[in-house]
Amino acid sequence: MGYLALTSPALAAPGEAKFGNIPTENAQPLVGDARIVDGDTLVLGDTRIRLFGIDAPELSQTCLDGRGRSWSCGVWSKSILEALSTGRVDCQPLDQDRYGRTVARCFAGGTDIAADMVRRGAAYAYRRYSTDYVSDEDRARRADAGLWRGEAMSPATFRAQKAEARVAATAPQSAPTGCTIKGNISANGKLYHLPGGRWYDKTRINETKGERWFCSEGEARKAGWTAAQG
């Protein structure tokens, strides 16, 4: 998941980087065993942490390998972060994002976890917020490491497309002129819904499934649909 930095340590004057309204030098380090949420998010204690400077595939995201075959790159990215975050994890808070997560640099065994994720091709340098890991990404790309072995949509683009799909799924559907009856197919069979009915507004027509619009109840019944109750 992406993040929106409230402040930008990279742009602040030396010694003036902020964590909310608190200088980062005064922000308390977070230490402990990590629970991994996805390829760029972990939890220490009760604190949800977004790794600074990188962006990993979403858990539900798939990519293409070198042969054009689909694979679960989001789940794989999470597994890499789990492997890199064993034992004690130390995180230095830098900021807080719009989701309330702490944005931080995290280390395991003295190694910058975010840098290692990018070097292994399990995440991208999040250039929108930082250029710290660009050289690591360049190295991973040249080595065809991880995600670079095939084709992958950027996580930001993937999230944007999912958001657009959610909006489209809730947008009112335009019925053909004079044909406002919805012929829906569900586990209950073929049911038609009249305007004003209990389920009418929530019912969406997917013509690729064989669902359709009807201009009259007679037409719907003749086609094998039954009136929905309520």
Side-chain angles (χ1 to χ4, degrees):
M1 182 180 287
Y3 64 86
L4 176 63
L6 303 181
T7 58
S8 178
L11 298 179
E16 293 183 359
K18 301 288 186 179
F19 174 53
N21 294 319
I22 307 171
T24 53
E25 61 185 17
N26 295 330
Q28 292 298 312
L30 301 167
V31 180
D33 294 327
R35 176 172 64 84
I36 307 306
V37 177
D38 56 30
D40 51 36
T41 310
L42 53 87
V43 177
L44 287 180
D46 296 326
T47 305
R48 196 176 183 91
I49 297 170
R50 177 64 160 84
L51 293 176
F52 172 75
I54 69 170
D55 200 15
E58 299 296 307
L59 272 181
S60 60
Q61 190 170 343
T62 58
C63 304
L64 298 179
D65 65 15
R67 297 183 179 181
R69 297 172 301 190
S70 178
W71 64 291
S72 300
C73 54
V75 174
W76 172 78
S77 178
K78 177 186 176 183
S79 72
I80 298 299
L81 184 55
E82 287 174 333
L84 295 175
S85 304
T86 56
R88 168 176 163 150
V89 173
D90 296 79
C91 295
Q92 178 60 50
L94 299 174
D95 212 333
Q96 190 173 65
D97 70 9
R98 61 179 172 180
Y99 304 107
R101 297 173 302 183
T102 295
V103 179
R105 293 186 191 275
C106 296
F107 299 83
T111 299
D112 185 335
I113 295 174
D116 220 350
M117 286 290 290
V118 175
R119 284 194 291 264
R120 291 169 183 253
Y124 301 97
Y126 209 172
R127 298 167 190 247
R128 179 178 176 184
Y129 298 107
S130 172
T131 58
D132 288 8
Y133 303 113
V134 170
S135 61
D136 296 301
E137 182 180 283
D138 290 341
R139 186 189 312 174
R141 185 189 296 109
R142 288 194 297 269
D144 289 334
L147 300 167
W148 300 105
R149 293 175 186 170
E151 297 181 19
M153 179 184 295
S154 77
T157 300
F158 180 80
R159 290 190 295 270
Q161 290 189 358
K162 285 192 68 175
E164 290 174 1
R166 286 194 295 269
V167 171
T170 58
Q173 286 186 305
S174 298
T177 303
C179 302
T180 58
I181 298 174
K182 295 180 177 180
N184 175 246
I185 301 175
S186 69
N188 296 319
K190 294 182 176 182
L191 302 177
Y192 66 83
H193 300 263
L194 300 174
R198 180 181 178 185
W199 306 110
Y200 185 84
D201 290 338
K202 294 183 179 180
T203 299
R204 302 188 64 78
I205 299 303
N206 184 347
E207 294 182 352
T208 63
K209 290 173 51 179
E211 297 175 339
R212 52 180 291 194
W213 298 90
F214 293 106
C215 303
S216 69
E217 287 191 80
E219 179 188 6
R221 288 193 293 268
K222 186 176 180 180
W225 263 258
T226 302
Q229 302 299 310

